[in-house]
């Protein structure tokens, strides 16, 4: 059975959250966008980008490594979201919603990493 990248739920969820974050940041003033906003968007985009790059690699070990990079980006986004909330760029409600979305992505990514490891063991 051939799976496509777009069949991975964790990939689709990470694409979705990066779009949500983009639509929030695009409305910030220049200073906020230029400082924290660009970094927040890059980190959010990096979650799905690393999943995609790993998916395209030949070896399971490489795929896992890119998933680890993606996991690091999740934590980076959480950090920037806290900064955004503390600097009154986003409301607590938006922060909580995005944080919970990131928690879900984090758990699903961990499950995907575990799955990759098991697939590698069977070969």
């Amino acid at each position: 059975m051939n799976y496509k990248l777009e069949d991975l739920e964790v990939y689709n969820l990470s694409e979705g959250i990066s779009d949500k974050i983009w639509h929030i940041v695009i409305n910030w003033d220049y200073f906020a966008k230029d400082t924290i906003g660009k970094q927040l968007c890059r980190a959010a985009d990096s979650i799905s980008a690393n999943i995609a790059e790993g998916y395209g690699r030949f070896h399971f070990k490489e795929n896992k490594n890119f998933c680890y990079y993606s996991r690091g980006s999740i934590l980076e986004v959480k950090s920037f979201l806290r900064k955004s909330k503390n600097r009154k760029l986003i409301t607590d409600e938006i922060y909580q919603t995005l944080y919970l979305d990131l928690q879900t992505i984090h758990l699903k990514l961990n499950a995907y990493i575990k799955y990759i490891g098991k697939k590698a063991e069977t070969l």
Side-chain angles (χ1 to χ4, degrees):
M1 187 177 268
N2 289 335
Y3 291 101
K4 299 180 298 193
L5 175 62
E6 294 79 12
D7 292 332
L8 284 177
E9 184 182 14
V10 68
Y11 174 77
N12 291 321
L13 291 172
S14 61
E15 284 273 294
I17 198 163
S18 67
D19 289 341
K20 286 180 191 176
I21 289 170
W22 171 270
H23 290 295
I24 292 167
V25 171
I26 199 73
N27 295 309
W28 291 354
D29 68 31
Y30 175 78
F31 181 76
K33 264 193 262 190
D34 192 48
T35 54
I36 192 173
K38 286 180 180 178
Q39 290 180 286
L40 175 56
C41 285
R42 284 185 185 124
D45 287 346
S46 181
I47 299 169
S48 61
N50 279 305
I51 292 169
E53 188 165 355
Y55 190 86
R57 296 297 174 126
F58 184 72
H59 297 286
F60 288 111
K61 186 176 179 183
E62 285 183 292
N63 189 353
K64 258 174 103 168
N65 281 335
F66 279 95
C67 287
Y68 292 142
Y69 302 146
S70 182
R71 194 164 60 187
S73 293
I74 291 170
L75 296 174
E76 186 178 6
V77 171
K78 286 180 180 179
S79 173
F80 283 125
L81 286 176
R82 276 191 298 279
K83 287 173 178 47
S84 299
K85 181 183 69 133
N86 293 339
R87 296 171 187 176
K88 309 290 188 234
L89 296 169
I90 59 173
T91 64
D92 188 56
E93 182 181 343
I94 290 171
Y95 169 80
Q96 292 296 331
T97 299
L98 293 173
Y99 191 88
L100 289 174
D101 289 348
L102 284 167
Q103 286 294 94
T104 299
I105 293 167
H106 198 155
L107 291 171
K108 290 188 180 293
L109 183 60
N110 283 341
Y112 180 54
I113 290 168
K114 188 174 181 178
Y115 169 79
I116 293 167
K118 288 185 184 214
K119 288 295 274 187
E121 291 172 7
T122 61
L123 294 178

